[in-house]
Amino acid sequence: MSSSRMRGRAATIAALAGATVLLAAVPAFAHVTVTPNSAAQGSYSTVAFKVPNEEDSASTTKVEVNLPTDHPVASVSIQPVPGWTAQVTKSKLATPLKSDDGTIDEAVTKITWSGGKIAPGQFQQFPVSFGPLPATTDALVFKTLQTYDNGDIVRWIDVPKEGQAEPQHPAPTLKLTVAAASDGASATPSVTATPAADAKSGGSSAGTQAASSDTSDGTARALGVAGIVVGAIGIGYGVFAGRRRNPSA
């Protein structure tokens, strides 16, 4: 086989591989998602549902987001989106929620946006404020339906499972993290000594300083004695050496 044919075949294989990678990556960018994708438990957070248009010849005309009923959110506020009308659906709760304002026996279970249009190649964000976020779960799953003007309905309702491949139509999921300790409270409380403890500490410190002083004085005296001994040895050695040089002495 000639080198030119080999180069041509290699180029074809590379092109097919690149196209496969691109095709595999496209659906990941077309999912309906919630941004940011995480928030602290018990906090108030504003998120946006990002809805892209996946079709080439149809526009999205309705978006329906279902809120979880097993972990309801007490307060839900919607930011107006130009060109779109939002409809909020509330339902009775099987287990009422306790809040600072009292007992809440109903909560928002669905938000529907309609009247607008998301054209091919475009996306739209729908901001919502939630709070306080539940502290009894680590994630909120928002099953979403996306309706096109040609009658197609894409159901983003598959719940991603850890350790498994991402489903074809994953539901937007908001991860809930454990709230960090506030600035006014420390996870490890600091210990402040009482006046009595300070007095004891001061006495102990004084005793330590006195002991240190005694040790220093003892060391100095020992060094002085050692110096005297060394000096005496030196003198004795000098006398002995002198006698050796002058035996008559």
Side-chain angles (χ1 to χ4, degrees), residues 130-165:
F130 293 124
L133 295 173
T136 56
T137 181
D138 59 0
L140 291 179
V141 179
F142 302 96
K143 296 184 177 182
T144 302
L145 275 61
Q146 181 179 8
T147 302
Y148 290 87
D149 56 9
N150 62 357
D152 291 345
I153 298 177
V154 181
R155 301 177 184 274
W156 303 96
I157 60 175
D158 298 334
V159 180
K161 296 182 179 180
E162 186 176 357
Q164 298 185 8

Short mmCIF file of all heavy atoms in Angstrom, two decimals, residues 130-165:
data_model
loop_
_atom_site.label_atom_id
_atom_site.label_comp_id
_atom_site.label_asym_id
_atom_site.label_seq_id
_atom_site.Cartn_x
_atom_site.Cartn_y
_atom_site.Cartn_z
N PHE A 130 -35.66 29.90 46.31
CA PHE A 130 -36.16 28.87 47.21
C PHE A 130 -35.66 29.13 48.62
O PHE A 130 -34.56 29.65 48.82
CB PHE A 130 -35.66 27.48 46.78
CG PHE A 130 -36.22 27.00 45.47
CD1 PHE A 130 -35.38 26.62 44.44
CD2 PHE A 130 -37.58 26.91 45.27
CE1 PHE A 130 -35.88 26.17 43.23
CE2 PHE A 130 -38.11 26.46 44.08
CZ PHE A 130 -37.25 26.08 43.05
N GLY A 131 -36.48 28.72 49.61
CA GLY A 131 -35.97 28.79 50.97
C GLY A 131 -37.07 28.59 52.01
O GLY A 131 -38.25 28.84 51.74
N PRO A 132 -36.68 28.20 53.21
CA PRO A 132 -35.38 27.58 53.44
C PRO A 132 -35.33 26.19 52.82
O PRO A 132 -36.32 25.47 52.82
CB PRO A 132 -35.30 27.51 54.97
CG PRO A 132 -36.73 27.44 55.41
CD PRO A 132 -37.50 28.27 54.42
N LEU A 133 -34.16 25.84 52.29
CA LEU A 133 -34.01 24.54 51.66
C LEU A 133 -34.03 23.45 52.73
O LEU A 133 -33.52 23.66 53.84
CB LEU A 133 -32.70 24.49 50.88
CG LEU A 133 -32.63 25.44 49.68
CD1 LEU A 133 -31.23 25.45 49.08
CD2 LEU A 133 -33.66 25.06 48.62
N PRO A 134 -34.63 22.32 52.45
CA PRO A 134 -34.76 21.26 53.46
C PRO A 134 -33.40 20.76 53.93
O PRO A 134 -32.43 20.73 53.17
CB PRO A 134 -35.55 20.16 52.74
CG PRO A 134 -35.39 20.46 51.29
CD PRO A 134 -35.25 21.93 51.16
N ALA A 135 -33.35 20.36 55.19
CA ALA A 135 -32.11 19.83 55.78
C ALA A 135 -32.19 18.33 55.97
O ALA A 135 -31.31 17.75 56.61
CB ALA A 135 -31.85 20.52 57.12
N THR A 136 -33.23 17.70 55.43
CA THR A 136 -33.42 16.26 55.61
C THR A 136 -33.08 15.45 54.37
O THR A 136 -33.36 14.26 54.31
CB THR A 136 -34.88 15.99 56.00
OG1 THR A 136 -35.75 16.56 55.01
CG2 THR A 136 -35.20 16.60 57.35
N THR A 137 -32.47 16.10 53.36
CA THR A 137 -32.07 15.39 52.15
C THR A 137 -30.83 16.04 51.57
O THR A 137 -30.53 17.19 51.89
CB THR A 137 -33.21 15.41 51.10
OG1 THR A 137 -32.81 14.69 49.94
CG2 THR A 137 -33.54 16.84 50.69
N ASP A 138 -30.12 15.30 50.73
CA ASP A 138 -28.91 15.83 50.13
C ASP A 138 -29.10 16.26 48.68
O ASP A 138 -28.14 16.64 48.00
CB ASP A 138 -27.77 14.81 50.21
CG ASP A 138 -28.10 13.50 49.51
OD1 ASP A 138 -29.23 13.39 48.96
OD2 ASP A 138 -27.27 12.58 49.52
N ALA A 139 -30.35 16.22 48.18
CA ALA A 139 -30.61 16.64 46.80
C ALA A 139 -32.10 16.89 46.59
O ALA A 139 -32.95 16.24 47.20
CB ALA A 139 -30.11 15.59 45.81
N LEU A 140 -32.39 17.84 45.71
CA LEU A 140 -33.76 18.11 45.27
C LEU A 140 -33.81 17.84 43.76
O LEU A 140 -33.03 18.41 43.00
CB LEU A 140 -34.17 19.55 45.56
CG LEU A 140 -34.35 19.94 47.04
CD1 LEU A 140 -34.72 21.41 47.14
CD2 LEU A 140 -35.41 19.07 47.70
N VAL A 141 -34.73 16.97 43.36
CA VAL A 141 -34.87 16.60 41.95
C VAL A 141 -36.10 17.30 41.39
O VAL A 141 -37.21 17.15 41.92
CB VAL A 141 -34.98 15.07 41.79
CG1 VAL A 141 -35.17 14.71 40.31
CG2 VAL A 141 -33.74 14.38 42.35
N PHE A 142 -35.90 18.06 40.31
CA PHE A 142 -37.00 18.82 39.69
C PHE A 142 -37.32 18.18 38.34
O PHE A 142 -36.67 18.47 37.32
CB PHE A 142 -36.61 20.28 39.49
CG PHE A 142 -36.21 20.98 40.76
CD1 PHE A 142 -34.88 21.09 41.13
CD2 PHE A 142 -37.17 21.54 41.60
CE1 PHE A 142 -34.51 21.74 42.29
CE2 PHE A 142 -36.80 22.19 42.77
CZ PHE A 142 -35.47 22.29 43.12
N LYS A 143 -38.32 17.33 38.30
CA LYS A 143 -38.71 16.70 37.04
C LYS A 143 -39.37 17.75 36.15
O LYS A 143 -40.29 18.46 36.57
CB LYS A 143 -39.64 15.52 37.31
CG LYS A 143 -38.96 14.40 38.10
CD LYS A 143 -39.86 13.19 38.26
CE LYS A 143 -39.11 12.08 39.00
NZ LYS A 143 -39.92 10.85 39.15
N THR A 144 -38.89 17.84 34.91
CA THR A 144 -39.26 18.94 34.02
C THR A 144 -39.78 18.43 32.69
O THR A 144 -39.23 17.47 32.13
CB THR A 144 -38.05 19.86 33.78
OG1 THR A 144 -37.57 20.35 35.04
CG2 THR A 144 -38.40 21.04 32.89
N LEU A 145 -40.82 19.09 32.18
CA LEU A 145 -41.37 18.78 30.86
C LEU A 145 -41.15 19.97 29.94
O LEU A 145 -41.49 21.11 30.30
CB LEU A 145 -42.86 18.45 30.94
CG LEU A 145 -43.24 17.00 31.28
CD1 LEU A 145 -42.72 16.59 32.65
CD2 LEU A 145 -44.76 16.82 31.21
N GLN A 146 -40.62 19.72 28.76
CA GLN A 146 -40.34 20.76 27.77
C GLN A 146 -41.20 20.51 26.53
O GLN A 146 -41.10 19.46 25.89
CB GLN A 146 -38.85 20.74 27.39
CG GLN A 146 -38.44 21.79 26.38
CD GLN A 146 -36.95 21.73 26.07
OE1 GLN A 146 -36.24 20.81 26.51
NE2 GLN A 146 -36.45 22.71 25.33
N THR A 147 -42.07 21.48 26.21
CA THR A 147 -43.01 21.32 25.11
C THR A 147 -42.61 22.20 23.93
O THR A 147 -42.28 23.38 24.10
CB THR A 147 -44.44 21.69 25.56
OG1 THR A 147 -44.82 20.86 26.66
CG2 THR A 147 -45.44 21.49 24.43
N TYR A 148 -42.64 21.61 22.72
CA TYR A 148 -42.32 22.33 21.48
C TYR A 148 -43.60 22.66 20.70
O TYR A 148 -44.65 22.03 20.90
CB TYR A 148 -41.39 21.49 20.60
CG TYR A 148 -39.99 21.35 21.16
CD1 TYR A 148 -39.67 20.33 22.05
CD2 TYR A 148 -38.98 22.23 20.78
CE1 TYR A 148 -38.39 20.20 22.56
CE2 TYR A 148 -37.69 22.11 21.28
CZ TYR A 148 -37.40 21.09 22.17
OH TYR A 148 -36.13 20.97 22.67
N ASP A 149 -43.47 23.65 19.81
CA ASP A 149 -44.66 24.07 19.06
C ASP A 149 -45.07 23.06 17.98
O ASP A 149 -46.12 23.22 17.35
CB ASP A 149 -44.45 25.45 18.43
CG ASP A 149 -43.22 25.53 17.55
OD1 ASP A 149 -42.62 24.47 17.26
OD2 ASP A 149 -42.83 26.65 17.15
N ASN A 150 -44.28 22.01 17.76
CA ASN A 150 -44.68 20.95 16.82
C ASN A 150 -45.35 19.79 17.55
O ASN A 150 -45.66 18.76 16.94
CB ASN A 150 -43.47 20.45 16.03
CG ASN A 150 -42.41 19.83 16.93
OD1 ASN A 150 -42.54 19.81 18.15
ND2 ASN A 150 -41.33 19.33 16.31
N GLY A 151 -45.58 19.96 18.87
CA GLY A 151 -46.27 18.93 19.64
C GLY A 151 -45.33 17.99 20.40
O GLY A 151 -45.81 17.22 21.24
N ASP A 152 -44.04 18.05 20.14
CA ASP A 152 -43.11 17.19 20.86
C ASP A 152 -43.00 17.61 22.33
O ASP A 152 -42.98 18.81 22.64
CB ASP A 152 -41.72 17.24 20.22
CG ASP A 152 -41.70 16.57 18.85
OD1 ASP A 152 -42.65 15.83 18.54
OD2 ASP A 152 -40.72 16.80 18.10
N ILE A 153 -42.91 16.63 23.20
CA ILE A 153 -42.72 16.88 24.63
C ILE A 153 -41.51 16.05 25.10
O ILE A 153 -41.53 14.82 24.98
CB ILE A 153 -43.96 16.52 25.45
CG1 ILE A 153 -45.16 17.37 25.03
CG2 ILE A 153 -43.68 16.72 26.95
CD1 ILE A 153 -46.46 17.01 25.75
N VAL A 154 -40.51 16.72 25.60
CA VAL A 154 -39.33 16.03 26.13
C VAL A 154 -39.46 15.99 27.65
O VAL A 154 -39.62 17.03 28.29
CB VAL A 154 -38.03 16.75 25.72
CG1 VAL A 154 -36.82 15.99 26.27
CG2 VAL A 154 -37.94 16.85 24.20
N ARG A 155 -39.40 14.80 28.21
CA ARG A 155 -39.60 14.61 29.64
C ARG A 155 -38.23 14.43 30.33
O ARG A 155 -37.62 13.36 30.24
CB ARG A 155 -40.49 13.40 29.90
CG ARG A 155 -41.86 13.53 29.23
CD ARG A 155 -42.70 12.28 29.44
NE ARG A 155 -43.96 12.39 28.72
CZ ARG A 155 -45.06 12.98 29.20
NH1 ARG A 155 -45.03 13.50 30.42
NH2 ARG A 155 -46.16 13.05 28.48
N TRP A 156 -37.80 15.49 31.01
CA TRP A 156 -36.55 15.44 31.76
C TRP A 156 -36.87 14.96 33.17
O TRP A 156 -36.95 15.73 34.11
CB TRP A 156 -35.90 16.82 31.79
CG TRP A 156 -35.64 17.39 30.42
CD1 TRP A 156 -36.43 18.25 29.73
CD2 TRP A 156 -34.50 17.13 29.60
NE1 TRP A 156 -35.87 18.54 28.51
CE2 TRP A 156 -34.67 17.87 28.40
CE3 TRP A 156 -33.36 16.36 29.75
CZ2 TRP A 156 -33.75 17.85 27.37
CZ3 TRP A 156 -32.43 16.34 28.72
CH2 TRP A 156 -32.63 17.07 27.55
N ILE A 157 -37.07 13.63 33.29
CA ILE A 157 -37.57 13.08 34.55
C ILE A 157 -36.71 11.93 35.08
O ILE A 157 -37.00 11.38 36.15
CB ILE A 157 -39.02 12.59 34.40
CG1 ILE A 157 -39.11 11.50 33.33
CG2 ILE A 157 -39.94 13.76 34.04
CD1 ILE A 157 -40.50 10.88 33.21
N ASP A 158 -35.67 11.55 34.37
CA ASP A 158 -34.83 10.44 34.82
C ASP A 158 -33.94 10.90 35.97
O ASP A 158 -33.27 11.94 35.88
CB ASP A 158 -33.97 9.90 33.68
CG ASP A 158 -34.82 9.35 32.54
OD1 ASP A 158 -35.96 8.93 32.81
OD2 ASP A 158 -34.35 9.36 31.38
N VAL A 159 -33.91 10.12 37.04
CA VAL A 159 -33.12 10.47 38.22
C VAL A 159 -31.72 9.85 38.10
O VAL A 159 -31.61 8.62 38.03
CB VAL A 159 -33.80 9.99 39.52
CG1 VAL A 159 -32.96 10.37 40.74
CG2 VAL A 159 -35.20 10.57 39.62
N PRO A 160 -30.68 10.67 38.03
CA PRO A 160 -29.32 10.12 37.95
C PRO A 160 -29.00 9.31 39.20
O PRO A 160 -29.38 9.67 40.32
CB PRO A 160 -28.43 11.37 37.86
CG PRO A 160 -29.35 12.46 37.40
CD PRO A 160 -30.68 12.14 37.99
N LYS A 161 -28.30 8.19 39.02
CA LYS A 161 -27.90 7.34 40.13
C LYS A 161 -26.39 7.22 40.18
O LYS A 161 -25.74 7.06 39.15
CB LYS A 161 -28.54 5.96 39.99
CG LYS A 161 -30.06 5.97 40.07
CD LYS A 161 -30.65 4.58 39.98
CE LYS A 161 -32.17 4.60 40.08
NZ LYS A 161 -32.75 3.23 39.99
N GLU A 162 -25.87 7.34 41.39
CA GLU A 162 -24.43 7.31 41.57
C GLU A 162 -23.85 5.97 41.14
O GLU A 162 -24.39 4.91 41.45
CB GLU A 162 -24.08 7.58 43.04
CG GLU A 162 -22.59 7.73 43.30
CD GLU A 162 -22.30 8.09 44.75
OE1 GLU A 162 -23.27 8.28 45.51
OE2 GLU A 162 -21.11 8.17 45.10
N GLY A 163 -22.75 6.04 40.39
CA GLY A 163 -22.09 4.82 39.93
C GLY A 163 -22.64 4.29 38.63
O GLY A 163 -22.13 3.29 38.11
N GLN A 164 -23.68 4.94 38.08
CA GLN A 164 -24.27 4.50 36.81
C GLN A 164 -24.13 5.60 35.77
O GLN A 164 -23.91 6.76 36.09
CB GLN A 164 -25.75 4.14 37.00
CG GLN A 164 -25.99 2.99 37.95
CD GLN A 164 -27.46 2.60 38.03
OE1 GLN A 164 -28.29 3.08 37.25
NE2 GLN A 164 -27.78 1.71 38.96
N ALA A 165 -24.24 5.18 34.50
CA ALA A 165 -24.13 6.14 33.41
C ALA A 165 -25.27 7.14 33.47
O ALA A 165 -26.36 6.84 33.96
CB ALA A 165 -24.14 5.41 32.07
#
